[in-house]
Amino acid sequence: MKTHYYLSWFNNFFPEKLVKWLDEDIKDRKSLVMISAQPSGYKGEQVNIDDVSERIWLNQANIIFDEYHFVDYRMQKEDARRFIQNASVIFLCGGDPVLQNDFLAEYELSDVIKNSNAVIMGASAGALNMAAKWLSLTNNGYQVETSTIYDGIGFDHLAYESHSKRDYATFVQGYLFPLSEEIDVYAAEQESAIRVKDSKIDILGPVYLVSHSKIQKLGETL
């Protein structure tokens, strides 16, 4: 049974409905492994894992683990792979999706994650990299200069878009339309979540399906 959570961003804490989903799905709470999306951005001392937003959300939801591990360039590749293989939950953190994508490739982590039986979660950048494809834009004011389609880990055959400053008004302008001709894009506003469990997709909060250049808001399923 494979369970994947694509999260946007939560400014304070997980909503009650999401906590209920997670409480049902996360039965094994031995080890949480968080994978940085700023893997080379930390200098000197180790990250205080208690201050990582994704852990704070889980703590507030009373989802507590015996062990916590934070994976970035300061961890040896072999250790990172071993912790991921033994994880109960793997959480790809928010930050810079391109840096995280590069890090996953350099440390050869994508297949290790994909072969895991853990519950897989991603927030913002991390959710992008869970998807089969995602779009990176370079903006100059209101003008999009370049766009690049990246391959994610590909747990599910969908593309994902999440950005705190994008919402329906920007999605409907059509920058996702070219990608939507190739694959269905799930475009999420803040405070939203998608759960894919045994190939069934559940929706929480404002999420839009962009398919063949048409956009529709999806209703909540829980």
Side-chain angles (χ1 to χ4, degrees):
M1 182 180 295
K2 300 288 188 179
T3 305
H4 310 138
Y5 281 88
Y6 299 80
L7 309 179
S8 57
W9 196 257
F10 299 90
N11 290 318
N12 297 303
F13 44 78
F14 285 153
E16 189 175 328
K17 288 181 181 178
L18 179 56
V19 172
K20 183 173 181 291
W21 288 2
L22 293 169
D23 203 43
E24 290 173 358
D25 290 335
I26 302 174
K27 299 302 185 187
D28 178 0
R29 301 185 183 182
K30 293 186 183 69
S31 172
L32 171 67
V33 174
M34 292 179 285
I35 300 175
S36 176
Q38 301 286 350
S40 58
Y42 300 105
K43 307 295 181 185
E45 295 182 6
Q46 193 68 22
V47 172
N48 184 350
I49 207 164
D50 293 333
D51 294 336
V52 177
S53 296
E54 291 82 351
R55 176 175 176 175
I56 292 171
W57 295 338
L58 289 167
N59 284 356
Q60 290 172 330
N62 199 33
I63 298 174
I64 309 298
F65 296 84
D66 297 336
E67 298 177 8
Y68 295 86
H69 304 283
F70 190 82
V71 177
D72 62 11
Y73 279 116
R74 287 167 304 183
M75 182 179 285
Q76 295 295 316
K77 183 189 294 187
E78 295 73 18
D79 291 335
R81 293 168 66 88
R82 177 170 52 85
F83 285 135
I84 287 168
Q85 287 168 342
N86 295 324
S88 309
V89 173
I90 300 167
F91 206 139
L92 286 88
C93 295
D96 187 319
V98 176
L99 290 179
Q100 188 178 59
N101 192 277
D102 290 344
F103 177 64
L104 292 170
E106 186 173 336
Y107 265 48
E108 301 176 308
L109 298 180
S110 293
D111 285 344
V112 183
I113 299 168
K114 200 167 186 177
N115 291 330
S116 171
N117 291 320
V119 173
I120 311 295
M121 304 177 67
S124 193
L128 296 181
N129 279 312
M130 284 174 59
K133 293 183 181 296
W134 55 274
L135 185 69
S136 173
L137 298 178
T138 300
N139 292 293
N140 178 16
Y142 294 102
Q143 184 68 36
V144 175
E145 292 185 330
T146 60
S147 63
T148 304
I149 295 174
Y150 282 83
D151 291 324
I153 296 172
F155 289 104
D156 305 289
H157 187 66
L158 57 86
Y160 183 79
E161 166 69 329
S162 172
H163 194 285
S164 61
K165 294 180 181 177
R166 296 184 193 141
D167 55 17
Y168 178 78
T170 52
F171 299 147
V172 82
Q173 290 174 11
Y175 72 94
L176 293 169
F177 288 174
L179 179 58
S180 79
E181 294 293 334
E182 180 181 340
I183 189 171
D184 285 350
V185 183
Y186 287 79
E189 293 187 18
Q190 288 200 87
E191 310 290 331
S192 67
I194 299 169
R195 178 179 71 174
V196 184
K197 186 173 182 178
D198 296 333
S199 300
K200 179 180 181 291
I201 298 177
D202 286 307
I203 303 294
L204 174 68
V207 178
Y208 306 88
L209 174 62
V210 188
S211 181
H212 297 290
S213 300
K214 296 180 180 177
I215 185 168
Q216 68 178 98
K217 184 170 185 179
L218 299 173
E220 290 192 349
T221 55
L222 284 178

